[in-house]
Amino acid sequence: MPKNFHLFLKGTVGYWDFNTDMVNYILDKHKDEEVHVLIDSLGGYTADAVSISSLFKLHGNVHVHFVGHNASAATIAAMGAKHISIDEDAAFLVHKCLYPIMEWAYMNADDLDEHIKKLEGIKKDNETIDSCVAGMYARRCKKSKEELLSLMKVGGWLTPEQALEWGFVDEITRYKEDKKEPLSAAAISSLSDAGIPLPPDVKRQKGSILDRFIAFLQSPFSNQAPDAAAPEAASPSPFMA
């Protein structure tokens, strides 16, 4: 495993530092070479993650290395790689896709009926995306889709050894350079508010309402699009992991 990587994918999947265009640009520059990618991300937008996975698969010779806490869309993005390794101190999380539900309104019976129909449609779409993602995981892990869906439903953090046992990764590495950076208060708040369990070595932090609002805006699980200038300009991906 080289110390120099061609790509460093960190932050939120779908944002400027972890997006399809950047990945495509680097892979295109190294068409006939072995490309090494470092990933350290809590996730983001599922659509971008699936596209990145496809780009890795099309290139055919991409090696992904996980360091730190990696979750959700970050794990999906790696599925198309030829080889996946993980640092001995890293952590790995898969879970069912999330859709932001925010409603503040008074509703009569008719309004509630329409709102319930809308939520049922969202639920059905989420189940479809979950099935597709579970299929990606299953092909990598050489296990059934049902087994992966069960794991995604639990949504617990995996140790490197468990990730290897499941088949998500091919190798556990022990490099002094791969130091796990502590999660920020914003990241911890984002995970908690999204209902995603915290890594076993991280404690939940309580903050003010303002702190939690700022954390929400910075969260990879918020419903604001990566390049949105204002809430009304947002065009969020309907499915996030």
Side-chain angles (χ1 to χ4, degrees):
M1 176 65 65
K3 295 181 181 179
N4 296 320
F5 293 88
H6 300 89
L7 259 175
F8 291 85
L9 299 178
K10 300 188 176 186
T12 301
V13 180
Y15 279 41
W16 68 271
D17 49 355
F18 198 148
N19 65 73
T20 305
D21 290 338
M22 180 173 65
V23 170
N24 188 52
Y25 173 76
I26 295 299
L27 295 181
D28 192 55
K29 285 183 62 178
H30 302 277
K31 290 181 179 179
D32 302 316
E33 303 174 35
E34 185 176 85
V35 176
H36 291 266
V37 181
L38 184 141
I39 295 182
D40 182 2
S41 167
L42 287 175
Y45 292 83
T46 306
D48 295 88
V50 173
S51 295
I52 290 171
S53 175
S54 297
L55 289 174
F56 288 166
K57 185 187 299 184
L58 288 171
H59 182 277
N61 197 8
V62 174
H63 288 215
V64 165
H65 183 53
F66 282 111
V67 299
H69 297 101
N70 291 275
S72 313
T75 68
I76 297 171
M79 290 299 102
K82 180 180 179 180
H83 183 86
I84 302 176
S85 60
I86 186 170
D87 178 66
E88 63 178 338
D89 293 325
F92 196 93
L93 171 70
V94 299
H95 64 85
K96 287 194 169 186
C97 297
L98 303 174
Y99 188 98
I101 301 295
M102 299 179 67
E103 195 71 38
W104 190 296
Y106 291 97
M107 297 184 185
N108 60 29
D110 295 332
D111 295 330
L112 284 170
D113 186 55
E114 288 300 315
H115 189 59
I116 290 170
K117 289 179 181 178
K118 177 183 176 182
L119 292 176
E120 288 175 341
I122 292 172
K123 178 177 179 289
K124 184 177 180 180
D125 288 342
N126 262 24
E127 290 172 344
T128 299
I129 297 300
D130 285 334
S131 178
C132 293
V133 172
M136 294 175 65
Y137 287 148
R139 287 188 291 275
R140 182 90 203 182
C141 297
K142 296 180 174 58
K143 298 183 183 296
S144 70
K145 184 184 292 186
E146 289 70 27
E147 288 177 284
L148 271 302
L149 280 171
S150 295
L151 179 65
M152 291 165 64
K153 183 177 181 179
V154 173
W157 285 89
L158 302 177
T159 65
E161 291 76 18
Q162 290 171 324
L164 179 63
E165 183 179 351
W166 269 94
F168 289 111
V169 302
D170 305 299
E171 177 188 5
I172 299 173
T173 63
R174 293 167 175 83
Y175 300 118
K176 294 181 179 179
E177 296 83 2
D178 292 340
K179 293 182 179 179
K180 181 169 59 177
E181 296 182 6
L183 290 179
S184 66
I188 293 173
S189 178
S190 297
L191 286 169
S192 300
D193 291 342
I196 298 174
L198 295 176
D201 59 340
V202 175
K203 294 183 179 179
R204 181 165 186 166
Q205 297 180 353
K206 294 183 179 180
S208 66
I209 295 177
L210 178 60
D211 291 336
R212 295 184 65 187
F213 178 71
I214 293 173
F216 170 77
L217 295 179
Q218 297 174 339
S219 169
F221 313 105
S222 87
N223 67 330
Q224 188 164 351
D227 55 354
E232 60 269 24
S235 55
S237 170
F239 303 102
M240 296 178 288

